Amino acid sequence: MESSMNVAVIGAGAMGSGIAQVAAQAGHSVLLMDARPGAAQRAVDAIRETLNKLAEKGRLTPTEAAEAGARLQAVGAVTELAGPGLVIEAIVEDLSAKRELFTRLESVVDPDCVLATNTSSLSVTAIAGACAHPERVIGLHFFNPAPLMPLVEVVPGLATAPGLAERCGLWMGRWSKVPVVCKDTPGFIVNRVARPFYGEALRILEEGLADMATIDHAMRTVGGFRMGPFELMDLIGNDVNFAVTRSVFEAFFFDPRYRPSLTQQRQVESGRLGRKTGRGYYDHTGTTTPPIPKNDPELLDMVFLRILVMLINEAADALYLGIADRAALELAMTKGVNYPKGLLGWADEIGLDRCLSMLQGLQTEYGEDRYRPSPLLRRLVREGRTFHG
Ligand code: NAI
């Protein structure tokens, strides 16, 4: 893709603004459009302010900031999108709204314009299904905040033209992003593989095996994660995190592995959404003393390993089912959600037989399909192999 080619971004909210900034910094003229009157212009002004701040901090030269800012233009309607080579949609997460927009776009843009969706939970195939030419539709799933998070999941739908994913991957590389190609399945890579980070932590809490401060402490100190599950759910917002879990669970036809937690549902119902409401699992108003974790090494190890093997099992199954290749799975979790290591490499480190016997132990203990080990993990252990050899 030539940097002289226009890019259009539709939806000037958190994600659309971030993506527009990234595209402008990569040298493209960017048209930003939003259905709310004035929203696109406000977003352009805010991005220019961000670029100026980056220049003040020395991350960009004043010329780079001014040039990137000048490449952005707000437009009021889809019909004003003159000749983009790539459109990235980041509007409301609603299938019928997205299908309607894509249909309208098809009547406006050139036949060779690529139409991308930033959806995080809808099927790319379903969005493309509304189009006369679904072969030019693809998912480009950025992470929040888009200018800072390197990962982009590149998701071809069922009818996407062969080769388009590779082309989009090259473009994303030129935008200084780390692209990973994955199949159009619920949660793509990151939102699928990361589910047990929250779900198994909630389960351990519900069973009274450890309190949330201890679980968070275990994941940070033993696991090296930047945040524990409860701290992270409070940061993401329990409403948002619960909605993702629910949508993945429903999209997998209620596979018990992804079952949402009643504990989290009650948090949402009570309005304890996390930092944004001052109260989630923790009190964020600074008026109460934070809970103190238990410093019992055996307990911390138990908690960490139980969550880790569930994450590993998800990654193993994603590899087994061909959702993405090994390298993509490792990159996705380290570049999309800052995991300290790729899960497959981590599994090799701690030993696949150990992972398998922990999962089998949990499955026997609880008698639940939730803990069923991935067939790939079983096979590798049987054959004495690792994920990397
Ligand atoms: P947002 O609510 O901040 O922004 C959405 C914007 O789209 C709003 O400004 C709204 O006025 C506009 N809009 C709604 N319908 C429109 C239409 N028909 N035509 C034009 N503009 C329209 O939402 P956010 O968080 O930026 O998410 C946007 C998309 O990105 C969603 O599909 C979401 O699932 C996805 N996403 C969100 C992430 C996040 O962490 N917030 C991460 C990755 C993807």
Side-chain angles (χ1 to χ4, degrees), residues 274-287:
R275 284 176 190 231
K276 61 187 172 188
T277 56
R279 179 78 209 251
Y281 297 107
Y282 295 103
D283 178 11
H284 298 279
T285 60
T287 52

Side-chain angles (χ1 to χ4, degrees), residues 17 24 35 38 44 49 57 115 147-148 173 202 268 295 334 377:
S17 300
V44 166
E49 216 168 286
K57 288 185 193 158
L115 303 179
L148 296 183
L202 281 156
V268 177
N295 237 331
T334 50
L377 194 55

Side-chain angles (χ1 to χ4, degrees), residues 9-10 135 172 219 236 239 309 325 357:
V9 178
I10 309 196
E135 63 276 6
M172 292 302 105
M219 296 314 282
I236 293 168
D239 51 342
V309 295
D325 65 22
S357 66

Side-chain angles (χ1 to χ4, degrees), residues 85-86 112-116 134-140 154-157 159-171 181:
L86 169 66
D112 58 352
C113 172
V114 173
L115 303 179
E135 63 276 6
R136 54 148 132 190
V137 178
I138 195 159
L140 288 178
V154 178
V155 191
T160 302
L164 185 56
E166 287 70 20
R167 255 170 78 207
C168 288
L170 285 174
W171 300 346
V181 177

Side-chain angles (χ1 to χ4, degrees), residues 10-17 19 33-36 39 78 89-94 97-98 101 104 117-122 141-144 191 240:
I10 309 196
M15 294 307 295
S17 300
I19 295 167
M33 186 258 159
D34 197 285
R36 275 180 304 139
V78 166
E89 166 278 312
I91 68 165
V92 59
E93 187 75 337
D94 177 275
K98 288 191 196 281
L101 173 65
R104 256 194 304 147
T117 173
N118 184 47
T119 184
S120 48
S121 64
L122 300 171
H141 183 219
F142 290 75
F143 288 72
N144 193 13
N191 279 337
V240 173

Side-chain angles (χ1 to χ4, degrees), residues 24 58 78 83 144 165 216 330 338 353:
V78 166
N144 193 13
D216 280 348
E330 301 295 70
N338 290 319
D353 47 352

